[in-house]
Each structure stands twice: as C-alpha cells, then as structure tokens.
Amino acid sequence: MYSNKNQIKSNKHYIDNRADYTLFLLVSSLMVASVIFSYSLTIYTVEYYGYSEFHFFIRQIGVVIVSILIMWTLSLINPERIVNNVGMGLFIAFFFIMAIMPFLPASVVTAAGGANRWIRLPGFSLSPVEFFKIGFIYFLSWSFHRKVIDQPKKLGLKAESLLLAPYFLTFFVVVFIVAFLQKDLGQVVLLGIILVVLLIFANRSFKIFLVLGGTALIGLVGLILAAPHRIKRIHSWWAMVQDGILSVLPSWAEQYLRIDELPEPYQVSHSLNAMHNGGFLGQGISNGDVKVGFLSEVHTDFVLAGITEEVGLLGLIFLVTIVSIIILRIFRISRRVKNPIYHLFSLGIALMIIIAFLINSYGISGMIPIKGIAVPLLSYGGSSMLAMSIAIGLVLSISREVETGNLKKKQGKKQ
C-alpha cells in the first residue's frame, strides 16, 4: 500500500497514489485501545455472567484483527474498482435485510427492546444498521452528484422539493424501518443530520432547510410520543436537568414545565460518578469502583465513562485528540480529492464519526437524553467495529487519489 511511489501528474498538482498511512495507524491504535478496555472494563460482567476472564478480550481482539486486515486490503485497491461496488452493495443488501428482519423467525434474529435488531450468525450477531449507514452515505453521495449538485441553487421551493422528493421518500422509509420496526431512534437522528449536511454541500438553498428542520422537529416529537420507552428516557433526562433549566427561566414557567415524581436517572448519575472518580489521572487500568456493578453496559454504551474512571481526564483528552485528528485527516481527504462522489462520501463518513461520538458523550454526561449509540472505534462490539473498518478502508482507498501539492515545488525540495 505504502511502497508504491508512482506519481500521477494532474495540472499543477500530483497524485502520490499512496493511501494515508497516518490515518491507518491512528485508527488501528484506537482499535487496539478498544481491546485493552474490553478486558479492563468487563471485570464485573464476566463474574456476574460466569464468563471466562478473557471472554470479551478474545472476541474483541479477533474482531480488531479482522478489521485491521479489512482496512489494509481496501486501502490497496484503487477507488474506481472498489468504492462504488462496496458502497452500493451495502446500501441495497442491508436495506433489504433490515426490511425483512421483522418477519424472520426467532432462530435467525436477536431481539432487543421488543424489536429485531441483530442477525444471528455462527459465533456472533450482526447489526445490519451499522453497515447500512455506510451504504446510505454512499447512495446520497452518488445520487447527489448525478441529480442535485449541478442544479441551479435559486429554484422555487416547489421545484426544489420535487428535486429532493426521492431522497425524502427514501429517508421516510428508512425512518419507518429503523425507528418503528427496530425502535432505534438514535440511528435515525444520525442519518438525518448526515442527509441535511450533505444537502448543504450539494449546493441547496437555505429555505429548503427551514422546511426540513420544521418537518424533522414534528417527526421527532411524533416518534418520541409513539414509544413509551422514549418518553421514559425523556422523563429520566428531565429529572436531572429541570432544576437547572427552570432556574434561568421566568418564574411563571415552572408551573407548566416542572414535573414531579420523575424516575431517577441512575445510569447517567453513575456515569458522572465514574468520570468524577477518575479525576485527572484516573484510577488505573482495571481499577475503579463505579464500573463494578453500578454502571451497566460500561464496555459498550458507557465506555467513555468507564475509560475516564480508569485513565482520567488526561487519558480521555488523549483519546479524544486521536479521534479529532482522524476526523481532520478524513476532512482533508474529502477536501483534496477531485471526484465529487468521493468528496461527499468521505465527508459523510467523518460526519458519521462526529455525530455518533457527540450523541454518546452528550448522553452519558446528561446533556441530552441517553441513547444507545456505540462510540466509534472504542466500544466493544463486532458490528460497529467491522462497519467502521469498511468505512475507513474505503476512505483510505479514496486517499490514493488525493492531490497533495505542486509537483515542481516538490521536486525542487528534493534537489
């Protein structure tokens, strides 16, 4: 991947035809960190369920090895040969799988919260929505390039709505499958934000975003009211923040907004306690008290809280810095690649990482209602890790076509 130093001239720039080695190493380092924390954070879980001490460690290290190999393999292939096939293949295949999951027998699927979310495979379960997200991003990138980008920006609202109607219809179908059938509102919010941001980069007018924003707000409220478990999460979150919010509002607002007898926000409280217990330097790897029976899903949904208890604020800042550099390098690839489909796709993958990270971190800190979205590259779990390896592998393939500078200047420096 990195030994090919053939330079392809492009006007005043050159294409080095090598994948982004730094991006590959940074992503791999976070994957290795997830293996370490899958061992250190699951001390109570393995005892409670009677698993082997290395149960989660072995499973995660196997997934990480496969994921790194996937990234490496995809990075060796020129994007013209792989990106379209993989991206469109993921969109079609996993859209179909998600659509038929409610009708599959219990022996084939695994249910959570009353909805079928995983496909059972030998030795592990697969979450189709994790792979569908990558396909959805590629579908938007491919279709926007063909149908949207070159359209005049100053279209009437009706004309622009008709132009974008196929995408809205597709998204509404996705909302029905993911939010209603699989009861996973967080993933719908993530996909919705990506759709809106990619529309911005596809040169659409501001008025269409006002319409989208109003429709999305109404739809979000409707989806919350339609599901009792979502209302319960809102109540749990409001129990934690209502005093602070009401303190800055006029006194008359309290009689309308204060709700008594709300459920205690135990999970978020324990999450905050874990982060506080970590302090600046942390309790040490495999140490810490809050993760031992108080904080469930500490190796998945609440992995950032568990990590902070072990390595402290300093360690968390270090990990967040790595994630930030990864995102910046993907943005750099998106900005410098000439192919508009690759540009939008890379941008979408960066957005997917950012939004998932923010939803998770804001949720465990009580800033927004908690939502079970995995932390990219850090949470325990095969589906999320494998899907991210495909996404990053495609970005690495795209990075082979990035224009990196002026060829003459580069040659002058070598002399």
Side-chain angles (χ1 to χ4, degrees):
M1 170 173 62
Y2 308 110
S3 61
N4 185 357
K5 298 182 180 179
N6 295 330
Q7 295 175 338
I8 303 174
K9 297 182 182 180
S10 175
N11 297 326
K12 295 182 179 180
H13 295 78
Y14 71 94
I15 297 173
D16 213 8
N17 201 27
R18 294 179 297 182
D20 189 330
Y21 180 64
T22 303
L23 176 62
F24 174 81
L25 288 179
L26 289 171
V27 172
S28 299
S29 68
L30 284 186
M31 289 182 173
V32 172
S34 78
V35 174
I36 296 172
F37 291 117
S38 71
Y39 173 76
S40 66
L41 294 175
T42 55
I43 294 174
Y44 176 80
T45 306
V46 297
E47 289 290 335
Y48 184 82
Y49 289 102
Y51 293 142
S52 163
E53 177 184 358
F54 298 99
H55 174 83
F56 294 100
F57 176 83
I58 293 173
R59 293 167 71 91
Q60 189 72 354
I61 197 171
V63 169
V64 165
I65 290 172
V66 172
S67 297
I68 292 175
L69 289 175
I70 288 174
M71 286 195 301
W72 180 275
T73 302
L74 292 176
S75 69
L76 294 172
I77 306 173
N78 288 328
E80 292 85 358
R81 296 174 53 194
I82 194 70
V83 175
N84 179 71
N85 293 334
V86 173
M88 198 59 71
L90 290 174
F91 176 74
I92 296 172
F94 285 96
F95 183 89
F96 175 74
I97 291 173
M98 291 194 305
I100 66 172
M101 280 181 69
F103 311 104
L104 295 177
S107 59
V108 180
V109 295
T110 302
N116 295 335
R117 292 187 182 179
W118 289 275
I119 297 288
R120 290 183 181 178
L121 298 173
F124 67 100
S125 296
L126 203 67
S127 175
V129 71
E130 296 290 348
F131 300 88
F132 172 76
K133 288 186 295 186
I134 304 169
F136 184 73
I137 292 171
Y138 180 79
F139 167 75
L140 292 179
S141 305
W142 170 80
S143 191
F144 283 176
H145 168 62
R146 296 176 67 247
K147 302 290 187 180
V148 178
I149 290 179
D150 294 331
Q151 295 295 324
K153 187 170 184 178
K154 293 184 178 180
L155 291 174
L157 182 59
K158 181 179 179 180
E160 194 159 22
S161 298
L162 290 174
L163 174 67
L164 301 178
Y167 307 104
F168 300 155
L169 179 61
T170 302
F171 184 69
F172 290 149
V173 174
V174 171
V175 169
F176 176 75
I177 293 174
V178 179
F180 276 99
L181 299 184
Q182 296 194 357
K183 299 182 180 180
D184 195 346
L185 183 58
Q187 300 289 5
V188 167
V189 172
L190 184 149
L191 292 174
I193 295 174
I194 291 174
L195 171 61
V196 171
V197 176
L198 290 185
L199 278 174
I200 293 174
F201 281 85
N203 198 34
R204 299 328 312 150
S205 65
F206 180 72
K207 58 190 173 185
I208 197 68
F209 297 111
L210 293 178
V211 175
L212 280 175
T215 304
L217 183 60
I218 295 171
L220 184 63
V221 172
L223 289 171
I224 292 173
L225 295 177
H229 73 281
R230 292 175 188 145
I231 297 176
K232 185 176 180 180
R233 283 183 176 178
I234 295 293
H235 283 169
S236 180
W237 170 75
W238 186 246
M240 172 171 285
V241 302
Q242 69 172 341
D243 290 337
I245 293 176
L246 293 176
S247 66
V248 298
L249 295 178
S251 57
W252 56 263
E254 184 165 351
Q255 60 180 317
Y256 299 104
L257 297 179
R258 179 170 292 281
I259 302 176
D260 298 321
E261 299 181 359
L262 288 171
E264 289 291 333
Y266 292 113
Q267 282 291 77
V268 177
S269 296
H270 290 317
S271 174
L272 294 173
N273 288 337
M275 289 186 280
H276 180 268
N277 193 43
F280 187 72
L281 297 177
Q283 299 292 314
I285 298 294
S286 294
N287 294 325
D289 302 321
V290 180
K291 69 181 181 185
V292 185
F294 296 100
L295 192 59
S296 64
E297 307 297 334
V298 67
H299 55 301
T300 55
D301 295 347
F302 287 87
V303 67
L304 290 179
I307 287 173
T308 305
E309 184 177 27
E310 290 194 348
V311 301
L313 178 61
L314 183 62
L316 180 65
I317 291 173
F318 178 73
L319 292 174
V320 171
T321 300
I322 295 178
V323 173
S324 301
I325 296 173
I326 288 172
I327 293 168
L328 288 174
R329 295 197 74 87
I330 298 176
F331 278 147
R332 178 177 176 270
I333 292 168
S334 175
R335 186 179 71 252
R336 294 189 177 186
V337 72
K338 294 189 68 175
N339 188 311
I341 298 177
Y342 299 162
H343 161 65
L344 290 176
F345 177 75
S346 301
L347 177 65
I349 296 302
L351 289 172
M352 182 178 71
I353 298 173
I354 293 171
I355 297 165
F357 194 90
L358 291 179
I359 289 177
N360 184 282
S361 58
Y362 285 0
I364 67 170
S365 59
M367 298 176 65
I368 62 173
I370 190 69
K371 189 67 197 79
I373 288 185
V375 180
L377 305 172
L378 285 174
S379 288
Y380 171 85
S383 295
S384 175
M385 191 67 71
L386 290 172
M388 283 303 307
S389 72
I390 295 174
I392 298 297
L394 292 177
V395 172
L396 287 169
S397 176
I398 290 170
S399 71
R400 295 166 63 91
E401 291 198 352
V402 167
E403 294 183 345
T404 55
N406 185 282
L407 182 60
K408 292 182 179 180
K409 290 183 179 179
K410 193 74 174 181
Q411 289 174 339
K413 288 181 180 180
K414 289 182 178 179
Q415 294 174 357

